[in-house]
Structure formats: structure tokens, C-alpha cells
Amino acid sequence: MSSEKAESAKGRATSFAKISGRRSSPAKTSLEHAADAQWGRGLSTFVRISRLTLRHPWQVAITIVSTFIAATLQLFIPRLLGRAVDQAHGVVSGGSGGAAAQNALWVTAITLLVVSILRGLFTMSQNYYGESVGHRTGYELRLAFYEKIQRLSFSFHDKVHTGDLITLGMLDLEGVRMFFSTGLVRVVLLSVLVGVGAYLLISTDLVLGLLSLSFVPFVAWRSSVTNISLRLTWNTLQERLSVLSRVMEENLGGIRVVRAFAAQEHELSKFDHSSAEALELAHKRVNIRVSNTSAMNFSFLAAMCLVLWVGGNKVIDGEISVGTLASFLTFMTILQMPVRQLGLMVNSFARASSCGTRLFELLDLELPIKDAPDAKDLVVTDGTLRFDNVSFTYEGAGHPTLSGVSFEARRGETVGIVGPPGSGKSTLVHLLPRFYDVDGGSITIDGQDISKATLQSLRRAVGLVQQDSFLFTTSIENNIAYGNPWAREQRIERAAESAQLHNYIAGLPAGYGTIVGERGVSLSGGQRQRLSIARSLVLKPAVMIFDDSTAAIDAGTEQRIRSAMKRFAKDRVNLVISHRLSSLMHADQILFVEDGRIVERGTHEELLAMGGRYRALYDLQVRPGDEPLQTAEAS
Ligand code: ADP
């Protein structure tokens, strides 16, 4: 069972490398090979995390020195306590030296107080700076992670579930962040406490020293086993929780579909199933923890009884003083906690190894779409767009999504793209802002290959209005000005006017300051699309793409938008994808796409005259007795 879990964890660990298309390590011939590779990866992960923490050398140095001093001071405490017991014993037994013994007791008590205070202060410094290093490292990793997911290509995002990325950015990052304070610092603490402490005890009394330390191997072993078991169940629990958040995310995202299909029962049972699995795992974890804690407590108390028994006899025989026995017992009590924490340390190493491996794998992913080494800013002069024999296939797709696509459009021209669903229309326009790179042929703007232009300048030159208009939870004004936060109020209003949204916005109590998005005012599908059109109009790009962006807008409003945008369309190339022929029949050139190829091209009239697929679609959309579309358009 546990090997299955390890497998599943391993599977997750290598998933990003597979997705990125990088070659994973060759098939292992034996378990040893696999273990070696795991160790090698773990080791390089630790080295990398350590290097990250060393970016804060002062904080790291203060933490290590503080830990060292705090542990050393802690070792003084049993000795001082033992001495105090002997001195108290001397005071109680009286005699001529009674007053001197009392003074000595005072001195010991004050020394003990000072040592305890100093130890407390150094422990505070250790915790403060240790946490500080962890948080700074976490902050840097979080930024690097966020930047990476902003830059990773669409082919990556197509395959990775958002929930998994969020888990990676939250939980895995936390595992790496905690490594310094819970892993590395504990190594120093435990080494000093166990190493020096054992030496002091054994050099004082060999038998009693060994007995005092007898619980250490058992507790260290149980604690490590417990923490490793907890870690494995934690991995599985994390996966279950990930499933739960995915189920919840989908449920909330698709809440209207769920209600419309009265599927609440089905959704509840799905959630219940995942929840029950998480509950079962949580119970298992509690069992592991409780049974092992009891075993560790028992072994510690058994060792203490032995020390009391043997030590007591030694005191009776006059071999050691009561104070020495007391110092042995105190040392055991002090040592108990750090030894138990050995498991946490082992856990911290295991967690950092798996979390770090996953995280670094993502951070190291090659960016397939990035600026070429000799990339230059795109300079738009005439504004001529050209597709030259472009072909493209999605990763893993059996056949080409686009092949032999060629067309040219000049500034002021509109190209209509029509074709059956799945024929490759959206893919064609997604190649323009380089969401994906072409496999063959080229796309140029004013003769400059877009793959040689900087991404920033290219994406500034290409505006895309999609069918799904995403709104950020902020004001309408900010949503419209998203691509150009410095856009003036007038420009924003003009864009909204062209998109036929200004009147609606002006009628809202808070006007352009109205908050929209998930927690704001709900806009209808058509209003969202219009807002999305306005967002692109503000940019004034060289190429403007409307990807079925008026599907949720009624024909009348669409007609008004088109009229209002005439002036805007004059200065750029316009690509319009639509199922509604009335949206594209005015285009200078219409491309009919089927199975990734342009099968018909021409103006509306030419295509009608051709009597092919376009004609068939036209006849389908204009029912007998209806006014011809051309007439409706002209009115
Ligand atoms: P259209 O816009 O004409 O409806 P698309 O360009 O969206 O068509 O899709 C063309 C083909 O590519 C379809 O078969 C679709 O399933 C496939 N496809 C679309 N997007 C992806 C993707 N991100 N990954 C893999 N295949 C995709």
C-alpha cells in the first residue's frame, strides 16, 4: 500500500517534466536505480534550497550561531541543577559549612537564572532569524513561481489543472520554505544536544550515561518512522484535498449548469465520496500519531525508571551524589523533546525533497514560447498581415490542426473567417499573438516574422476579443483599461461608446467605478462581450481579432457596434470569426475553413456565386421567405 502511495507521489513529481515535453529519465532497470535517482534528486534539491537560504547570509549566520549558543547553554542547566541539589543537600544537613553552602546555593541559583534567560534570548533569536530566512526564501520562490506560470505557454496550461498549480504554489512552496527552520537548524540543535550531551553524561558515569541515553535510539527510530508514515499519508491526503478543491471549484464555476440539470444530489455524492476518503486518511493519521506517541512516552518513562533504580543504588552506595542523579534525570527530560523532534527533522527533509523537486521542476521548465535571442521590437508601418503556408498541430493531436494556410490582409481590410466548429478558426488566430508557435510556414506583419519579434511588442500590436470574456474583480474602468492602465478617461469612454456599452454604464449608480467580476455586479453575456471589445479598442492594435466575440450580442446591437467601429477598423487589419454570416459578409475577404484548410475564399458575392460550402451555409441561415442578409445589413 505504502509503495503505491510512494508511486503516486513519484508520479506527481515527474508530471511537469512530462507535460513540458522534456525527456524524463530513462526507464529504471531496478529498484536500486530508482532509489539512486531519487536520492540524487533529493540531494540536489537540498543543495539548491541551501543555496537559496544563503542569499541571506547574515540571517543564516545569526540563526546558526544562536542555535549553537542556545543548545550549549541548555547543556549547562542539568549540571547547574545537579549542583544546586547537592548544595541544598549540604544546607539541609547543616554543619560548619552551612552558611557557605547557602551562599553557594544562591550563586548557583542566580547562575541558573542567568543561563536560562540567556538561553531563552538565544532561542528567541534562533526562532526569529530562522523564520525570517524561511519567509524571505518563501517570498522569493513565490514570485519566481508566479512569474513562471505567467510565462509558461498555453500548451502547458492546456494540460495542467489549475488546482494542481495552486497546490504547488501553496503547499509545495511551504514545504521548501520551512526546510531551513525545521530541517537545517534542527540538525545543528540536535547535533550539539545529543553529541555533546552524550559525551558529558558518559564521561561522568558510563553505565548511568548509557542508561540515560537508552531511550534515544528507540524514540529517534519511532519518531522517524511515524513522521515518514505521516508524510506518505499526507501526500495522499494532499491529493484527496486537491480533488476536493477541484470538485468544489468546478461545482462553483458551473453552479448554473448544476442547478439547471438538478444535479445537486450527484454533485453532493461526488463531494461526499472525496470527503470520506479524506476523513479515512485523517483517521489513519491520528492512529499513527497516537500509537507512536504512547510507545515513545513508554520507552522514555521506562528509561527514567531504570536510571532512577540504578542511579538510586549508586547514591545509596555513595558512588555518586544526589545532585549527579538529578542532573542525569534533568538531562533526560531536556533531551526528550529534541529527540522526538528528530522525526520532524527527517520529515522536513523528506518534505523538502519531494516538494522542492516538484517546485524546481516547474521553475526549470523551458519556455517554448519566448523572445528569440536576436528578437527585435515589431515596427508597424503599412500594417500588412501575411500568413504564408502556415501549418500547426497541437501536441498529442493525431492530425494537423492547420495546414497550408495562406492569406494576406492590408491595413483597413477585414477578413472574415467562417467554418464548422473544430475546423481550426480559433487556432488560426491564436497563432498571431504567439499563444502557440507555427510548425511550418510563417506569419509576418509588415514583412517581419512574428517569431523574431519581442513578445511584448507583438502582443501590443495584436488585440484579441474572445468569446469567453473574463472580467477581473475591479471597476469597469479598470477592466476596460486593463491593457493600458494609463489610458485617459475620454479614451475609455470612447471605447465603451463604440462597443455600445457607454449608455448602460452611465446608467449605473457608480458609473465607470462599478465593481464587476466574481464579487461585483453581474453583467449579462452580451455586456461582458461588449466590455471585452472595449478593452481591446482602447489598445488600438495593428491587428484586431474578434473570435466569435459577438455570439452573445443581438444582431441589432452588433450592427450598431460595427457602424461605430468603422472609423476604428480603418486603421488596422481586422480578423472576424463568426458563425453568423451577417457579421462577416461585409468583409473584404472571407475564408471558409474546413479541417484546418482554407477551402473557399473570396468576397461574399464571389462565394455565393461559387455555390459551394459558403453558399450552403448562407442558404441555411436565410430561411425561405426571409429578407436576404445583404438587405438587412444595408438597412
Ligand atoms: P474552431 O475555432 O474552428 O471551433 P479550434 O481552433 O478551437 O476550432 O479547434 C480546432 C481543433 O483543435 C479541434 O479539433 C479542437 O479539438 C482542437 N483543439 C483546440 N484547442 C486545443 C488545445 N488547446 N489542445 C489540443 N487540441 C485543441
Side-chain angles (χ1 to χ4, degrees):
M1 186 69 183
S2 58
S3 65
E4 275 171 32
K5 284 171 193 159
E7 265 314 302
S8 87
K10 214 175 75 195
R12 234 157 65 76
T14 52
S15 56
F16 290 118
K18 281 184 196 148
I19 285 163
S20 76
R22 283 188 319 171
R23 234 152 23 119
S24 51
S25 48
K28 305 287 180 267
T29 49
S30 67
L31 275 175
E32 283 84 2
H33 266 105
D36 281 355
Q38 198 99 2
W39 267 110
R41 259 209 314 254
L43 198 66
S44 70
T45 304
F46 296 142
V47 171
R48 193 155 166 189
I49 302 177
S50 308
R51 282 220 311 264
L52 280 177
T53 57
L54 282 175
R55 284 189 191 171
H56 311 284
W58 280 111
Q59 284 89 343
V60 170
I62 295 176
T63 311
I64 302 288
V65 171
S66 301
T67 311
F68 195 82
I69 297 177
T72 312
L73 288 171
Q74 191 154 6
L75 286 172
F76 274 103
I77 292 175
R79 294 221 136 185
L80 286 168
L81 268 175
R83 195 191 299 167
V85 169
D86 283 341
Q87 286 163 341
H89 187 63
V91 173
V92 173
S93 39
S96 55
Q102 197 151 16
N103 279 342
L105 184 59
W106 271 111
V107 172
T108 309
I110 289 169
T111 315
L112 192 61
L113 187 70
V114 172
V115 167
S116 302
I117 290 173
L118 283 177
R119 189 202 142 255
L121 287 176
F122 280 103
T123 304
M124 237 166 74
S125 153
Q126 165 207 319
N127 288 336
Y128 178 81
Y129 286 100
E131 283 292 317
S132 157
V133 170
H135 281 293
R136 280 162 200 260
T137 311
Y139 167 76
E140 287 164 1
L141 279 173
R142 216 171 290 129
L143 282 191
F145 171 78
Y146 201 65
E147 202 212 336
K148 191 77 186 193
I149 52 175
Q150 299 294 319
R151 286 153 59 96
L152 277 166
S153 65
F154 277 75
S155 48
F156 173 83
H157 287 289
D158 285 343
K159 292 183 193 106
V160 179
H161 199 285
T162 321
D164 287 341
L165 274 183
I166 293 174
T167 306
L168 190 78
M170 307 291 280
L171 296 178
D172 287 344
L173 201 139
E174 195 64 7
V176 176
R177 184 187 77 72
M178 303 269 291
F179 178 64
F180 180 69
S181 56
T182 57
L184 288 179
V185 171
R186 275 211 182 107
V187 172
V188 177
L189 184 72
L190 276 171
S191 309
V192 176
L193 278 183
V194 179
V196 183
Y199 169 75
L200 290 177
L201 288 187
I202 289 172
S203 61
T204 308
D205 186 307
L206 178 68
V207 177
L208 217 49
L210 289 176
L211 282 178
S212 306
L213 295 169
S214 61
F215 77 99
V216 173
F218 179 77
V219 171
W221 168 63
R222 273 326 305 167
S223 162
S224 305
V225 168
T226 307
N227 277 283
I228 293 293
S229 315
L230 286 175
R231 162 114 213 99
L232 290 175
T233 47
W234 168 246
N235 278 343
T236 322
L237 185 63
Q238 200 171 312
E239 276 165 27
R240 297 280 182 280
L241 292 177
S242 206
V243 172
L244 268 184
S245 65
R246 210 178 297 169
V247 170
M248 203 184 292
E249 192 187 311
E250 276 181 10
N251 185 291
L252 293 177
I255 195 150
R256 286 184 172 75
V257 181
V258 175
R259 299 283 164 86
F261 284 84
Q264 289 97 319
E265 286 299 320
H266 168 68
E267 288 295 324
L268 265 177
S269 75
K270 228 166 54 177
F271 195 74
D272 189 16
H273 180 69
S274 302
S275 277
E277 284 181 339
L279 179 68
E280 194 191 321
L281 270 169
H283 274 145
K284 204 168 179 177
R285 286 168 57 76
V286 171
N287 271 342
I288 295 173
R289 192 174 285 138
V290 169
S291 60
N292 280 290
T293 307
S294 307
M296 287 190 282
N297 280 344
F298 177 77
S299 81
F300 173 72
L301 290 173
M304 219 168 197
C305 287
L306 272 176
V307 171
L308 259 178
W309 172 254
V310 176
N313 280 325
K314 281 185 183 255
V315 172
I316 292 167
D317 294 344
E319 284 179 39
I320 58 168
S321 67
V322 184
T324 307
L325 177 59
S327 71
F328 272 87
L329 292 172
T330 314
F331 181 76
M332 285 178 78
T333 318
I334 285 182
L335 199 60
Q336 191 203 175
M337 207 24 103
V339 173
R340 281 179 185 227
Q341 287 180 350
L342 198 93
L344 284 180
M345 191 184 84
V346 171
N347 181 34
S348 171
F349 273 78
R351 191 171 172 207
S353 164
S354 55
C355 294
T357 304
R358 273 195 295 270
L359 189 65
F360 294 139
E361 209 169 66
L362 181 115
L363 293 181
D364 293 343
L365 283 183
E366 289 274 334
L367 294 174
I369 298 203
K370 59 181 174 206
D371 286 350
D374 53 348
K376 292 198 179 65
D377 275 355
L378 191 76
V379 182
V380 182
T381 48
D382 295 342
T384 304
L385 168 72
R386 200 176 141 86
F387 271 59
D388 193 6
N389 203 19
V390 167
S391 60
F392 173 77
T393 308
Y394 281 110
E395 248 176 68
H399 57 92
T401 315
L402 292 174
S403 36
V405 174
S406 299
F407 68 90
E408 189 179 290
R410 294 172 189 284
R411 170 179 284 163
E413 282 183 4
T414 297
V415 179
I417 304 172
V418 69
S423 55
K425 304 181 295 294
S426 296
T427 307
L428 190 153
V429 294
H430 285 170
L431 297 178
L432 249 171
R434 283 188 70 202
F435 288 169
Y436 305 91
D437 269 342
V438 299
D439 294 336
S442 66
I443 303 173
T444 56
I445 295 178
D446 285 337
Q448 302 152 85
D449 194 322
I450 59 165
S451 64
K452 302 272 165 45
T454 57
L455 276 175
Q456 176 114 23
S457 66
L458 173 69
R459 289 181 182 167
R460 244 189 274 125
V462 178
L464 172 64
V465 187
Q466 289 170 295
Q467 188 176 3
D468 297 325
S469 4
F470 182 82
L471 300 187
F472 296 92
T473 308
T474 178
S475 65
I476 291 182
E477 182 178 359
N478 288 347
N479 264 293
I480 297 179
Y482 185 72
N484 179 5
W486 295 274
R488 296 195 176 182
E489 222 169 87
Q490 243 181 343
R491 188 158 160 187
I492 294 173
E493 284 192 20
R494 221 177 305 131
E497 266 166 23
S498 300
Q500 302 298 302
L501 197 62
H502 175 73
N503 289 346
Y504 168 75
I505 301 172
L508 291 169
Y512 280 83
T514 307
I515 303 292
V516 287
E518 201 169 340
R519 297 217 196 99
V521 169
S522 288
L523 297 185
S524 72
Q527 285 162 341
R528 293 168 80 95
Q529 285 194 337
R530 279 183 273 161
L531 197 148
S532 172
I533 291 174
R535 183 188 286 164
S536 291
L537 293 186
V538 165
L539 289 180
K540 301 192 169 168
V543 180
M544 186 75 194
I545 305 165
F546 298 93
D547 184 357
D548 221 358
S549 53
T550 50
I553 299 173
D554 65 281
T557 310
E558 191 197 347
Q559 163 70 21
R560 284 198 297 279
I561 293 177
R562 215 172 28 251
S563 308
M565 273 177 38
K566 268 204 179 113
R567 220 167 33 124
F568 175 86
K570 213 164 64 241
D571 296 327
R572 52 201 37 89
V573 169
N574 306 281
L575 300 183
V576 181
I577 296 179
S578 182
H579 289 108
R580 211 189 273 159
L581 290 190
S582 62
S583 307
L584 6 116
M585 53 197 298
H586 63 286
D588 302 286
Q589 181 183 184
I590 299 169
L591 312 175
F592 195 104
V593 181
E594 199 174 76
D595 281 339
R597 293 178 173 280
I598 299 176
V599 289
E600 288 176 17
R601 69 173 78 210
T603 60
H604 174 68
E605 289 74 20
E606 285 164 358
L607 288 173
L608 283 187
M610 211 181 273
R613 292 169 173 82
Y614 185 85
R615 171 88 225 188
L617 188 65
Y618 176 81
D619 290 340
L620 210 68
Q621 289 196 11
V622 183
R623 292 186 308 269
D626 278 358
E627 296 253 329
L629 287 176
Q630 188 73 52
T631 321
E633 176 69 14
S635 65

